[in-house]
Structure formats: structure tokens, C-alpha cells
Amino acid sequence: LSQDDLDYLKRKTNFDEQTICDIYRGFLADCPQGKMVPATFCQIYSKCFPAGNAREFCDHVFRTFDTDKNGVIDFKEFLLSIDVNSSGSPEEKLNWAFSLYDVDGTGT
């Protein structure tokens, strides 16, 4: 994690430096290349929600986390999404939830 990325995440999230570094270590344990692909995301997500078929929902959540739409989730995208879901304002959470179901990205 570069110092620039760390400084950016400290400014843009409610996490302190130690928490960011701890989460980053966990992210690297699951994604040694520093990028999470859809299959890895779904595997991790399915562990959190073992009941039912999580595949379609995983696809929607992955798409929402992958804000630059390059097919992978980097650590910044991951942490920013986690932050919105854990400590974002009600409006930020609502916008995130809306984008989750805006499959075609049209805003409708």
C-alpha cells in the first residue's frame, strides 16, 4: 500500500491508519496480487452468506465495488465500498444500494 493510497484512504474513509493497514493485510491474504476477481469475491462473499445461491447477488455487488469497471476490485475500491456500508451517511448508503440494482448503469 503506497503512502499516497494510505493518505487518500485516511481522507476518504472513517478508518484510521492502523485499521486500514490491518484490513489491507487481510485483503492481500485473500488476493496476493492486490486485485480481487469475481470468482474470489463470490467465494469470500458466499462464506459470509452460506444459505442459498449467492452467485447472482455476488455479480451485482462485485459490479458495484468495481467503480472503475476494469473487471477487478483493488484495495481502494474495496475499502471505499466497505466504508460506505459501515459508516456512510444514509444518503450514501442509499446511493450505493441503488447502484447495486442499477444493472445497466443508466440510473433508472
Side-chain angles (χ1 to χ4, degrees), residues 14 38 100 108:
N14 291 302
L100 177 66
T108 58

Side-chain angles (χ1 to χ4, degrees), residues 7-59:
D7 291 342
Y8 176 82
L9 291 169
K10 285 172 25 183
R11 283 192 317 273
K12 297 291 185 177
T13 71
N14 291 302
F15 297 115
D16 62 27
E17 184 168 332
Q18 185 61 53
T19 302
I20 292 169
C21 291
D22 290 345
I23 296 171
Y24 183 65
R25 279 190 288 280
F27 184 84
L28 284 181
D30 289 325
C31 308
Q33 301 298 319
K35 307 279 185 195
M36 187 178 297
V37 297
T40 304
F41 181 84
C42 193
Q43 181 182 24
I44 293 167
Y45 192 86
S46 294
K47 288 178 187 175
C48 297
F49 302 97
N53 181 1
R55 181 71 209 165
E56 185 175 342
F57 192 68
C58 283
D59 290 341

Side-chain angles (χ1 to χ4, degrees), residues 3-106:
Q3 188 62 49
D4 285 344
D5 286 346
L6 182 58
D7 291 342
Y8 176 82
L9 291 169
K10 285 172 25 183
R11 283 192 317 273
K12 297 291 185 177
T13 71
N14 291 302
F15 297 115
D16 62 27
E17 184 168 332
Q18 185 61 53
T19 302
I20 292 169
C21 291
D22 290 345
I23 296 171
Y24 183 65
R25 279 190 288 280
F27 184 84
L28 284 181
D30 289 325
C31 308
Q33 301 298 319
K35 307 279 185 195
M36 187 178 297
V37 297
T40 304
F41 181 84
C42 193
Q43 181 182 24
I44 293 167
Y45 192 86
S46 294
K47 288 178 187 175
C48 297
F49 302 97
N53 181 1
R55 181 71 209 165
E56 185 175 342
F57 192 68
C58 283
D59 290 341
H60 293 309
V61 176
F62 185 90
R63 180 183 38 76
T64 305
F65 274 49
D66 182 19
T67 56
D68 64 4
K69 308 301 180 211
N70 67 350
V72 296
I73 298 170
D74 64 29
F75 182 68
K76 286 194 324 188
E77 289 171 318
F78 177 77
L79 196 64
L80 290 168
S81 291
I82 296 299
D83 182 62
V84 166
N85 286 296
S86 65
S87 59
S89 70
E91 184 176 355
E92 289 170 324
K93 290 177 182 180
L94 185 59
N95 286 334
W96 189 91
F98 179 82
S99 68
L100 177 66
Y101 292 102
D102 183 19
V103 177
D104 60 4
T106 62

